[in-house]
Amino acid sequence: CKRVIIKVGTSTIMYPNGTVNLQRLDKLAFVLSDLRNQGKEVILVSSGAVGVGLHRLKLRQSPRSIPEQQAVASVGQSELMSLYSTFFFNYGQIIGQVLMTRDIVVFPESRLNAINTFEQLLKQKVIPIVNENDTVAVDELDHATKFGDNDKLSAIVAEITQADLLIMLSDIDGFYDCNPNEDNQANLFHEINCITPELFSLAGGVGSKFGTGGMVSKLKAADHVLKHSGKMVLANGANPTDIFKIIAGGEIGTLFVPE
Ligand code: ADP
């Protein structure tokens, strides 16, 4: 396993009270920098711009209009990158910001440009930190189309970079046969080989106040990964050092792998 994409949800990097979980960010930077030192190629897809922006602008909840949301995301994105910069710097790791739009799916030339950028960054031992370009792409914010949340974005990044593994970190241990926050009898799936309509019927909506995709969008991402012969692990982001165990093949979370 040489090339790894790690996707973190807002719930992984922020406390429920809306402040940034600095400990989590620090540990994440430590783990990813260490993986880089081991010779792995690492790409981070990070949500959280809106959450961090709300906090920075002292807003209690997401504003209604799209331009207002975009302004929040703009403030939050630079604030978030500044935090990542500080933590990664402590571990001697250079990062690069990559903001994407759906162009990479629609236009082959944009796709190739994105691939070239990733290849060059990885060659220079940089860890790219990816997010959707919220100024241009409003889909994620107003849910106008099902395309465009960061779960899907991370699956597309995994596809175009031909990553060996996508690790999707959330606030839950994996995919269950029902929402474990609503039913304590829920059973964890350890391995899933194909995404069926039955699985979608077990997936509920968003868990936290900052969650955007919910399990449906995670299953869609897994479907995309499996269709491109990739592997994905959905796991809890509470302990970023679990990433070491996941890469070593430890039984953590739900593994989505073609048969
Ligand atoms: P993130 O912000 O990490 O992307 P989301 O809130 O979008 O996370 O999705 C995770 C949430 O999905 C969990 O906290 C849980 O409440 C909810 N959920 C709904 N159905 C399921 C299921 N079948 N298995 C696991 N989690 C589920």
Side-chain angles (χ1 to χ4, degrees), residues 12-32:
T12 301
I13 60 166
M14 298 201 63
Y15 289 112
N17 69 9
T19 60
V20 179
N21 188 333
L22 297 171
Q23 213 182 131
R24 206 55 76 61
L25 281 188
D26 189 16
K27 282 186 187 146
L28 194 61
F30 158 70
V31 170
L32 301 193

PDB file of all heavy atoms in Angstrom, residues 12-32:
ATOM      1  N   THR A  12     -14.612  15.107  12.667  1.00  0.00           N
ATOM      2  CA  THR A  12     -13.313  14.604  13.130  1.00  0.00           C
ATOM      3  C   THR A  12     -12.400  15.738  13.586  1.00  0.00           C
ATOM      4  O   THR A  12     -11.565  15.543  14.460  1.00  0.00           O
ATOM      5  CB  THR A  12     -12.628  13.801  11.987  1.00  0.00           C
ATOM      6  OG1 THR A  12     -13.481  12.728  11.613  1.00  0.00           O
ATOM      7  CG2 THR A  12     -11.286  13.236  12.410  1.00  0.00           C
ATOM      8  N   ILE A  13     -12.554  16.904  12.999  1.00  0.00           N
ATOM      9  CA  ILE A  13     -11.606  17.973  13.337  1.00  0.00           C
ATOM     10  C   ILE A  13     -12.215  19.094  14.181  1.00  0.00           C
ATOM     11  O   ILE A  13     -11.515  20.023  14.560  1.00  0.00           O
ATOM     12  CB  ILE A  13     -10.956  18.566  12.060  1.00  0.00           C
ATOM     13  CG1 ILE A  13     -12.003  19.153  11.129  1.00  0.00           C
ATOM     14  CG2 ILE A  13     -10.134  17.520  11.333  1.00  0.00           C
ATOM     15  CD1 ILE A  13     -11.369  20.034  10.063  1.00  0.00           C
ATOM     16  N   MET A  14     -13.521  18.975  14.492  1.00  0.00           N
ATOM     17  CA  MET A  14     -14.126  19.996  15.339  1.00  0.00           C
ATOM     18  C   MET A  14     -14.878  19.369  16.509  1.00  0.00           C
ATOM     19  O   MET A  14     -15.414  18.273  16.395  1.00  0.00           O
ATOM     20  CB  MET A  14     -15.087  20.859  14.524  1.00  0.00           C
ATOM     21  CG  MET A  14     -14.356  21.592  13.415  1.00  0.00           C
ATOM     22  SD  MET A  14     -15.200  23.027  12.803  1.00  0.00           S
ATOM     23  CE  MET A  14     -15.249  24.097  14.206  1.00  0.00           C
ATOM     24  N   TYR A  15     -14.901  20.089  17.607  1.00  0.00           N
ATOM     25  CA  TYR A  15     -15.710  19.669  18.749  1.00  0.00           C
ATOM     26  C   TYR A  15     -17.174  19.987  18.456  1.00  0.00           C
ATOM     27  O   TYR A  15     -17.465  20.918  17.696  1.00  0.00           O
ATOM     28  CB  TYR A  15     -15.275  20.422  20.012  1.00  0.00           C
ATOM     29  CG  TYR A  15     -13.934  19.998  20.546  1.00  0.00           C
ATOM     30  CD1 TYR A  15     -12.839  20.867  20.509  1.00  0.00           C
ATOM     31  CD2 TYR A  15     -13.755  18.734  21.094  1.00  0.00           C
ATOM     32  CE1 TYR A  15     -11.604  20.476  21.009  1.00  0.00           C
ATOM     33  CE2 TYR A  15     -12.531  18.336  21.600  1.00  0.00           C
ATOM     34  CZ  TYR A  15     -11.452  19.215  21.551  1.00  0.00           C
ATOM     35  OH  TYR A  15     -10.244  18.827  22.041  1.00  0.00           O
ATOM     36  N   PRO A  16     -18.084  19.247  19.097  1.00  0.00           N
ATOM     37  CA  PRO A  16     -19.512  19.532  18.879  1.00  0.00           C
ATOM     38  C   PRO A  16     -19.888  20.977  19.242  1.00  0.00           C
ATOM     39  O   PRO A  16     -20.865  21.517  18.729  1.00  0.00           O
ATOM     40  CB  PRO A  16     -20.219  18.546  19.816  1.00  0.00           C
ATOM     41  CG  PRO A  16     -19.238  17.436  20.017  1.00  0.00           C
ATOM     42  CD  PRO A  16     -17.880  18.080  19.966  1.00  0.00           C
ATOM     43  N   ASN A  17     -19.089  21.619  20.098  1.00  0.00           N
ATOM     44  CA  ASN A  17     -19.418  23.007  20.467  1.00  0.00           C
ATOM     45  C   ASN A  17     -18.947  24.018  19.421  1.00  0.00           C
ATOM     46  O   ASN A  17     -19.048  25.228  19.631  1.00  0.00           O
ATOM     47  CB  ASN A  17     -18.847  23.348  21.849  1.00  0.00           C
ATOM     48  CG  ASN A  17     -17.322  23.422  21.855  1.00  0.00           C
ATOM     49  OD1 ASN A  17     -16.667  23.380  20.802  1.00  0.00           O
ATOM     50  ND2 ASN A  17     -16.735  23.544  23.026  1.00  0.00           N
ATOM     51  N   GLY A  18     -18.406  23.526  18.317  1.00  0.00           N
ATOM     52  CA  GLY A  18     -18.068  24.424  17.217  1.00  0.00           C
ATOM     53  C   GLY A  18     -16.644  24.970  17.239  1.00  0.00           C
ATOM     54  O   GLY A  18     -16.295  25.800  16.409  1.00  0.00           O
ATOM     55  N   THR A  19     -15.832  24.516  18.199  1.00  0.00           N
ATOM     56  CA  THR A  19     -14.430  24.950  18.202  1.00  0.00           C
ATOM     57  C   THR A  19     -13.561  23.865  17.562  1.00  0.00           C
ATOM     58  O   THR A  19     -13.981  22.715  17.430  1.00  0.00           O
ATOM     59  CB  THR A  19     -13.922  25.245  19.635  1.00  0.00           C
ATOM     60  OG1 THR A  19     -14.038  24.052  20.412  1.00  0.00           O
ATOM     61  CG2 THR A  19     -14.732  26.353  20.286  1.00  0.00           C
ATOM     62  N   VAL A  20     -12.348  24.274  17.169  1.00  0.00           N
ATOM     63  CA  VAL A  20     -11.468  23.344  16.467  1.00  0.00           C
ATOM     64  C   VAL A  20     -10.820  22.374  17.459  1.00  0.00           C
ATOM     65  O   VAL A  20     -10.349  22.785  18.528  1.00  0.00           O
ATOM     66  CB  VAL A  20     -10.367  24.126  15.707  1.00  0.00           C
ATOM     67  CG1 VAL A  20      -9.435  23.163  14.984  1.00  0.00           C
ATOM     68  CG2 VAL A  20     -10.988  25.100  14.719  1.00  0.00           C
ATOM     69  N   ASN A  21     -10.806  21.103  17.107  1.00  0.00           N
ATOM     70  CA  ASN A  21     -10.157  20.078  17.932  1.00  0.00           C
ATOM     71  C   ASN A  21      -8.663  20.049  17.564  1.00  0.00           C
ATOM     72  O   ASN A  21      -8.232  19.331  16.671  1.00  0.00           O
ATOM     73  CB  ASN A  21     -10.821  18.726  17.676  1.00  0.00           C
ATOM     74  CG  ASN A  21     -10.344  17.649  18.625  1.00  0.00           C
ATOM     75  OD1 ASN A  21      -9.223  17.708  19.134  1.00  0.00           O
ATOM     76  ND2 ASN A  21     -11.183  16.657  18.861  1.00  0.00           N
ATOM     77  N   LEU A  22      -7.897  20.866  18.279  1.00  0.00           N
ATOM     78  CA  LEU A  22      -6.473  21.056  17.953  1.00  0.00           C
ATOM     79  C   LEU A  22      -5.678  19.776  18.166  1.00  0.00           C
ATOM     80  O   LEU A  22      -4.765  19.449  17.402  1.00  0.00           O
ATOM     81  CB  LEU A  22      -5.887  22.198  18.795  1.00  0.00           C
ATOM     82  CG  LEU A  22      -6.513  23.565  18.549  1.00  0.00           C
ATOM     83  CD1 LEU A  22      -6.023  24.585  19.572  1.00  0.00           C
ATOM     84  CD2 LEU A  22      -6.195  24.058  17.134  1.00  0.00           C
ATOM     85  N   GLN A  23      -6.048  19.033  19.216  1.00  0.00           N
ATOM     86  CA  GLN A  23      -5.380  17.768  19.505  1.00  0.00           C
ATOM     87  C   GLN A  23      -5.491  16.805  18.320  1.00  0.00           C
ATOM     88  O   GLN A  23      -4.529  16.147  17.935  1.00  0.00           O
ATOM     89  CB  GLN A  23      -6.088  17.172  20.719  1.00  0.00           C
ATOM     90  CG  GLN A  23      -5.205  16.400  21.617  1.00  0.00           C
ATOM     91  CD  GLN A  23      -6.003  15.803  22.768  1.00  0.00           C
ATOM     92  OE1 GLN A  23      -5.856  14.635  23.026  1.00  0.00           O
ATOM     93  NE2 GLN A  23      -6.821  16.584  23.438  1.00  0.00           N
ATOM     94  N   ARG A  24      -6.684  16.734  17.772  1.00  0.00           N
ATOM     95  CA  ARG A  24      -6.984  15.865  16.643  1.00  0.00           C
ATOM     96  C   ARG A  24      -6.166  16.277  15.415  1.00  0.00           C
ATOM     97  O   ARG A  24      -5.553  15.447  14.748  1.00  0.00           O
ATOM     98  CB  ARG A  24      -8.471  15.993  16.353  1.00  0.00           C
ATOM     99  CG  ARG A  24      -9.191  14.864  15.682  1.00  0.00           C
ATOM    100  CD  ARG A  24      -9.099  13.536  16.325  1.00  0.00           C
ATOM    101  NE  ARG A  24      -9.901  13.275  17.520  1.00  0.00           N
ATOM    102  CZ  ARG A  24     -11.211  13.304  17.604  1.00  0.00           C
ATOM    103  NH1 ARG A  24     -11.943  13.640  16.576  1.00  0.00           N
ATOM    104  NH2 ARG A  24     -11.811  13.007  18.716  1.00  0.00           N
ATOM    105  N   LEU A  25      -6.165  17.590  15.140  1.00  0.00           N
ATOM    106  CA  LEU A  25      -5.407  18.095  13.988  1.00  0.00           C
ATOM    107  C   LEU A  25      -3.922  17.790  14.153  1.00  0.00           C
ATOM    108  O   LEU A  25      -3.240  17.391  13.211  1.00  0.00           O
ATOM    109  CB  LEU A  25      -5.586  19.612  13.845  1.00  0.00           C
ATOM    110  CG  LEU A  25      -6.866  20.122  13.223  1.00  0.00           C
ATOM    111  CD1 LEU A  25      -6.763  21.627  12.986  1.00  0.00           C
ATOM    112  CD2 LEU A  25      -7.179  19.425  11.917  1.00  0.00           C
ATOM    113  N   ASP A  26      -3.424  17.978  15.372  1.00  0.00           N
ATOM    114  CA  ASP A  26      -2.009  17.735  15.657  1.00  0.00           C
ATOM    115  C   ASP A  26      -1.665  16.264  15.423  1.00  0.00           C
ATOM    116  O   ASP A  26      -0.679  15.927  14.762  1.00  0.00           O
ATOM    117  CB  ASP A  26      -1.719  18.149  17.112  1.00  0.00           C
ATOM    118  CG  ASP A  26      -0.232  18.130  17.425  1.00  0.00           C
ATOM    119  OD1 ASP A  26       0.586  18.109  16.474  1.00  0.00           O
ATOM    120  OD2 ASP A  26       0.121  18.151  18.618  1.00  0.00           O
ATOM    121  N   LYS A  27      -2.509  15.372  15.947  1.00  0.00           N
ATOM    122  CA  LYS A  27      -2.259  13.926  15.788  1.00  0.00           C
ATOM    123  C   LYS A  27      -2.335  13.510  14.325  1.00  0.00           C
ATOM    124  O   LYS A  27      -1.549  12.685  13.857  1.00  0.00           O
ATOM    125  CB  LYS A  27      -3.267  13.119  16.609  1.00  0.00           C
ATOM    126  CG  LYS A  27      -2.910  13.109  18.078  1.00  0.00           C
ATOM    127  CD  LYS A  27      -3.829  12.200  18.857  1.00  0.00           C
ATOM    128  CE  LYS A  27      -3.553  12.336  20.347  1.00  0.00           C
ATOM    129  NZ  LYS A  27      -4.775  12.177  21.141  1.00  0.00           N
ATOM    130  N   LEU A  28      -3.297  14.089  13.631  1.00  0.00           N
ATOM    131  CA  LEU A  28      -3.451  13.790  12.206  1.00  0.00           C
ATOM    132  C   LEU A  28      -2.190  14.215  11.448  1.00  0.00           C
ATOM    133  O   LEU A  28      -1.651  13.458  10.625  1.00  0.00           O
ATOM    134  CB  LEU A  28      -4.676  14.549  11.692  1.00  0.00           C
ATOM    135  CG  LEU A  28      -5.248  14.158  10.345  1.00  0.00           C
ATOM    136  CD1 LEU A  28      -5.703  12.707  10.344  1.00  0.00           C
ATOM    137  CD2 LEU A  28      -6.426  15.073  10.001  1.00  0.00           C
ATOM    138  N   ALA A  29      -1.699  15.408  11.757  1.00  0.00           N
ATOM    139  CA  ALA A  29      -0.479  15.907  11.097  1.00  0.00           C
ATOM    140  C   ALA A  29       0.704  15.004  11.424  1.00  0.00           C
ATOM    141  O   ALA A  29       1.523  14.696  10.549  1.00  0.00           O
ATOM    142  CB  ALA A  29      -0.202  17.342  11.533  1.00  0.00           C
ATOM    143  N   PHE A  30       0.771  14.554  12.674  1.00  0.00           N
ATOM    144  CA  PHE A  30       1.855  13.655  13.095  1.00  0.00           C
ATOM    145  C   PHE A  30       1.817  12.334  12.317  1.00  0.00           C
ATOM    146  O   PHE A  30       2.822  11.902  11.749  1.00  0.00           O
ATOM    147  CB  PHE A  30       1.753  13.401  14.610  1.00  0.00           C
ATOM    148  CG  PHE A  30       2.435  12.152  15.074  1.00  0.00           C
ATOM    149  CD1 PHE A  30       3.827  12.059  15.081  1.00  0.00           C
ATOM    150  CD2 PHE A  30       1.695  11.057  15.499  1.00  0.00           C
ATOM    151  CE1 PHE A  30       4.464  10.899  15.501  1.00  0.00           C
ATOM    152  CE2 PHE A  30       2.321   9.891  15.913  1.00  0.00           C
ATOM    153  CZ  PHE A  30       3.701   9.815  15.909  1.00  0.00           C
ATOM    154  N   VAL A  31       0.636  11.730  12.275  1.00  0.00           N
ATOM    155  CA  VAL A  31       0.501  10.419  11.614  1.00  0.00           C
ATOM    156  C   VAL A  31       0.801  10.530  10.119  1.00  0.00           C
ATOM    157  O   VAL A  31       1.553   9.731   9.563  1.00  0.00           O
ATOM    158  CB  VAL A  31      -0.916   9.839  11.843  1.00  0.00           C
ATOM    159  CG1 VAL A  31      -1.155   8.607  10.978  1.00  0.00           C
ATOM    160  CG2 VAL A  31      -1.122   9.504  13.313  1.00  0.00           C
ATOM    161  N   LEU A  32       0.227  11.532   9.478  1.00  0.00           N
ATOM    162  CA  LEU A  32       0.410  11.659   8.024  1.00  0.00           C
ATOM    163  C   LEU A  32       1.857  12.001   7.683  1.00  0.00           C
ATOM    164  O   LEU A  32       2.413  11.502   6.694  1.00  0.00           O
ATOM    165  CB  LEU A  32      -0.554  12.694   7.436  1.00  0.00           C
ATOM    166  CG  LEU A  32      -2.052  12.427   7.647  1.00  0.00           C
ATOM    167  CD1 LEU A  32      -2.895  13.331   6.764  1.00  0.00           C
ATOM    168  CD2 LEU A  32      -2.411  10.967   7.400  1.00  0.00           C
TER     169      LEU A  32
END
